[in-house]
Amino acid sequence: MTESPDFDELSTRIKTDQPHTARIWNYWLGGKDNYAVDQRAGDEIRRLHPGIGEYAQADRRFLGRAVRHLAGETGIRQFLDIGTGLPTAENTHEVAQRIAPESRVVYVDNDPIVLAHAAALLAGSPEGRTDYLDEDLRNVDSILEQAARVLDLTEPVALMLLGVVIFVEDDQEAYGIVRRLMDALPKGSHLVLSHTVTRPDMPDVDAAVAFWNEHGTPRLTQRTPGAVARFFDGLELLAPGVVSCNRWRPDTDGPEPPEVAMFGGVGRKN
């Protein structure tokens, strides 16, 4: 296990006078780990893009469906969740260990307020193992080295990158990070990735992101659905491909859910 977070040190890194994406996401999901500054920014973004709360929920449900598929139907027992954000209900380890209690999950984030809640994330099943790394997505080698203390990187791993590569502005760097991570994992591993998109018929999303990038931290980068699909190059993309998160294998057989501006997909390394 990693050492418990140093709460005094973390408190000096938490800025309560500037909105932060993890806390705003928590606010939209109905959590309590946010401040007035986050609520004001979240409300303004929701005014610019009224559906924003819906795709926060859609992304969380996409995570649950993807993990249930991988743990249940595919037999994956190891998960590397980078950019996990603040804990809410149905975190990766909760979903995976409900199906397979022996599942091992390593969370990675470098947000101080997320780290301050690491103890909650570490409460996994006694049969499995759940750990937490204070690390930046860009530090691929360090992530893999530390994750190998818990995960067997010779066996299949599900790499979870939900709403995190949006913080890497340079396309070449973003694609390179994902490629390096997947190259280090064996055949049978899977990539689960979601990303905010930009599309001509979704101008309110662009306005909301522009507001965020002017007032909040860290800055967000949108990509087209086609550019998001490029993260899966070289992988077997599972049906239905890269789609709006609430359209990836929805739980109901009713009408197709409306699109949200968070797209995601799951790919297998063969």
Side-chain angles (χ1 to χ4, degrees), residues 198-257:
T198 179
R199 215 169 61 177
D201 60 340
M202 296 179 172
D204 52 342
V205 179
D206 297 345
V209 171
F211 173 85
W212 171 256
N213 285 341
E214 182 179 353
H215 299 281
T217 183
R219 289 178 58 86
L220 308 181
T221 298
Q222 294 166 275
R223 293 182 170 92
T224 65
V228 176
R230 281 186 56 194
F231 285 107
F232 295 91
D233 284 356
L235 303 177
E236 176 191 351
L237 194 58
L238 276 58
V242 175
V243 296
S244 180
C245 281
N246 55 353
R247 292 185 173 182
W248 195 89
R249 305 191 179 189
D251 294 323
T252 62
D253 295 327
E256 187 173 50

Side-chain angles (χ1 to χ4, degrees), residues 19 66 119 226 266:
V266 179

Side-chain angles (χ1 to χ4, degrees), residues 1 5 89 94 141 189 223:
M1 288 287 192
E94 293 173 308
D141 292 340
S189 294
R223 293 182 170 92

Side-chain angles (χ1 to χ4, degrees), residues 54-102:
E54 295 174 11
Y55 79 71
Q57 297 285 349
D59 191 51
R60 173 58 51 164
R61 290 191 292 266
F62 166 64
L63 179 151
R65 294 195 301 273
V67 172
R68 285 197 299 273
H69 169 76
L70 294 175
E73 298 179 37
T74 307
I76 296 290
R77 295 294 179 263
Q78 304 188 107
F79 297 81
L80 179 57
D81 188 336
I82 303 178
T84 181
L86 284 163
T88 59
E90 296 296 279
N91 297 293
T92 297
H93 75 280
E94 293 173 308
V95 179
Q97 292 176 352
R98 187 181 305 127
I99 295 169
E102 70 274 21

